[in-house]
Amino acid sequence: MAKEGELFRKTIARWRSDPVAFVRDNFKVEPDEWQVDALRAFADPSIPRMSLQACAGPGKSALLAWCGWYFLSCFGEPGDHPKGLAVAITNDNLRANLWPEFAKWQQRSPYLKEYFEWTSERIYAKQHKATWFLEARSWPKTANAEEQGKTISGLHGGYVLVLVDESGAIPATVGRAAEQALATKVKFGKVMQAGNPLVRDGMLGEAASRR
């Protein structure tokens, strides 16, 4: 058992240092070149914010799901587990696209199926249901920018992640609310968004023009 535990720790350490290996080992796919670059940037703790800007279809949602699973699998420590949120432009969009993408990739990985549970509301570590999770959140269709921002406020810890899909038309104030998770002394914190750059004053547009 001791040898098995040591092998497990070494595997996690190898994945943490090489997110591309994590994807290859668990999902049996070869990422595109741009996905390799994004995976490596995601693993870099000195890069707290990432935005993926592209047309529909190149694999943005797949990459968000890979990064979410990588985060849940490779970060955290006793007493400080990884915590994350996932949102999209609408609840329907989240339920139809990004959230089932997590389920799809989990089914390819014996490791993820053994240690994590996917539900319609959250993904959690089976041994730490309340403290080790990625949660699907949404806002009412009538919500204004302030109300949308409150939906993703309140995430704190040493290891935090906010994933935002289809962020092209999401108000920039929502992105600023997401960054509250990075305000405390995090050991690994990331706000990652993806979408089509539809408007200049949205969350994605602000990220594209930030200097």
Side-chain angles (χ1 to χ4, degrees):
M1 293 296 291
K3 289 183 179 180
E4 290 179 359
E6 181 61 23
L7 179 61
F8 182 82
R9 286 189 289 273
K10 287 183 177 180
T11 298
I12 297 298
R14 179 172 65 85
W15 286 344
R16 184 168 180 168
S17 66
D18 188 353
V20 180
F22 172 83
V23 169
R24 289 170 177 157
D25 290 352
N26 284 281
F27 307 132
K28 312 305 180 193
V29 296
E30 184 61 35
D32 292 340
E33 184 176 348
W34 75 267
Q35 290 174 323
V36 169
D37 291 341
L39 285 164
R40 289 173 177 162
F42 184 87
D44 187 342
S46 71
I47 302 175
R49 306 168 188 84
M50 292 181 62
S51 63
L52 309 176
Q53 305 156 38
C55 61
K60 299 187 300 297
S61 294
L63 180 66
L64 290 177
W66 294 348
C67 289
W69 279 122
Y70 166 77
F71 170 76
L72 288 172
S73 299
C74 299
F75 290 89
E77 59 189 77
D80 196 358
H81 297 153
K83 302 175 182 67
L85 305 175
V87 299
I89 181 65
T90 65
N91 182 48
D92 289 344
N93 185 285
L94 179 65
R95 304 299 173 180
N97 296 303
L98 179 58
W99 204 246
E101 196 78 13
F102 277 98
K104 166 188 170 181
W105 294 108
Q106 184 189 27
Q107 293 309 305
R108 299 194 181 195
S109 169
Y111 164 75
L112 295 177
K113 287 192 290 185
E114 180 175 356
Y115 288 99
F116 293 92
E117 187 76 24
W118 180 98
T119 74
S120 61
E121 300 299 327
R122 68 165 41 190
I123 299 164
Y124 59 85
K126 293 179 180 179
Q127 295 183 353
H128 303 281
K129 181 177 180 179
T131 60
W132 191 324
F133 62 85
L134 180 69
E135 186 172 88
R137 288 195 183 178
S138 61
W139 45 73
K141 291 182 179 180
T142 58
N144 58 33
E146 182 180 356
E147 291 168 334
Q148 291 175 356
K150 289 180 179 179
T151 300
I152 54 177
S153 297
L155 184 66
H156 302 290
Y159 302 90
V160 292
L161 171 65
V162 178
L163 295 175
V164 186
D165 198 18
E166 298 300 339
S167 64
I170 294 178
T173 51
V174 176
R176 295 171 202 142
E179 292 189 9
Q180 293 174 10
L182 307 176
T184 56
K185 293 183 178 180
V186 298
K187 299 163 189 173
F188 183 91
K190 197 77 61 171
V191 175
M192 185 179 191
Q193 60 170 310
N196 307 321
L198 301 174
V199 295
R200 293 184 178 181
D201 59 351
M203 180 178 174
L204 190 63
E206 181 175 88
S209 60
R210 179 179 294 177
R211 294 291 185 266

